[in-house]
Amino acid sequence: MRLALTSIQIARFIITFSWLYHGIFPKLVHISPLEKVMTASIGLSNELSYLVTKLAGVSEVIFGMVFFVYYRNKYIVLLNILGLSSLLIFVAIFQPQLLIEAFNPVTTNIALIGFSFIILNALKDEFNNE
């Protein structure tokens, strides 16, 4: 039996993986130096910065799981686009030098937003064919 993944499923898996990975590894397992820089840039103390980073990690993991289950919900996909856009704007305002680093939020977030539009277009086509 051959498993054929549709573009919507590939986009779903990539978006979910990204939220889970970015929530677990640079925030929950080990707080990356860049995470510390970003939370420090808004004036948080070390203790509050630690708490905010851990809460952000948990939130990202929860959203990744919600997205995986409810990826066919237009509002969840739009929330994904809004969240990714907001995070990109946050970095542009508070840590603009990160926008020119390797593997930066521009390339990551724009790609994930693009996958979100693939899902929205596929959902639109499915609903129009019913």
Side-chain angles (χ1 to χ4, degrees), residues 6 12 14 17 21 31 34 38 43 45 52 60 63 69 79 84-85 87 94-95 114 117-118 120-121 128-129:
T6 63
R12 171 193 185 198
I14 290 171
F17 172 78
Y21 186 90
I31 298 178
L34 285 179
M38 286 191 288
S45 67
V52 167
E60 289 179 16
F63 186 77
V69 174
L79 185 60
L84 291 166
S85 299
L87 290 168
F94 291 102
Q95 292 296 320
F117 281 110
I118 288 170
L120 286 175
N121 283 333
N128 287 339
N129 291 330

Side-chain angles (χ1 to χ4, degrees), residues 7-9 67 70-78 115-130:
S7 59
I8 193 171
Q9 291 302 323
F67 189 89
Y70 296 106
Y71 70 100
R72 290 187 175 279
N73 182 306
K74 178 174 120 176
Y75 297 106
I76 293 295
V77 179
L78 291 173
F115 284 125
S116 299
F117 281 110
I118 288 170
I119 292 173
L120 286 175
N121 283 333
L123 291 175
K124 181 180 71 172
D125 292 343
E126 283 182 13
F127 292 136
N128 287 339
N129 291 330
E130 289 182 352

Side-chain angles (χ1 to χ4, degrees), residues 93-122:
I93 291 170
F94 291 102
Q95 292 296 320
Q97 73 278 4
L98 297 179
L99 300 177
I100 59 170
E101 294 293 328
F103 307 109
N104 64 63
V106 173
T107 56
T108 304
N109 291 30
I110 297 293
L112 294 173
I113 290 168
F115 284 125
S116 299
F117 281 110
I118 288 170
I119 292 173
L120 286 175
N121 283 333

Side-chain angles (χ1 to χ4, degrees), residues 18 58 125:
S18 183
V58 170
D125 292 343

Side-chain angles (χ1 to χ4, degrees), residues 5-75:
L5 290 175
T6 63
S7 59
I8 193 171
Q9 291 302 323
I10 293 168
R12 171 193 185 198
F13 292 137
I14 290 171
I15 292 167
T16 298
F17 172 78
S18 183
W19 280 110
L20 294 175
Y21 186 90
H22 285 276
I24 293 169
F25 294 104
K27 293 178 184 78
L28 296 176
V29 171
H30 169 77
I31 298 178
S32 77
L34 285 179
E35 293 294 339
K36 291 177 184 177
V37 166
M38 286 191 288
T39 53
S41 69
I42 57 175
L44 300 178
S45 67
N46 285 339
E47 296 81 19
L48 192 53
S49 177
Y50 177 84
L51 180 62
V52 167
T53 301
K54 292 297 183 179
L55 287 173
V58 170
S59 298
E60 289 179 16
V61 169
I62 290 170
F63 186 77
M65 292 186 298
V66 167
F67 189 89
F68 184 77
V69 174
Y70 296 106
Y71 70 100
R72 290 187 175 279
N73 182 306
K74 178 174 120 176
Y75 297 106

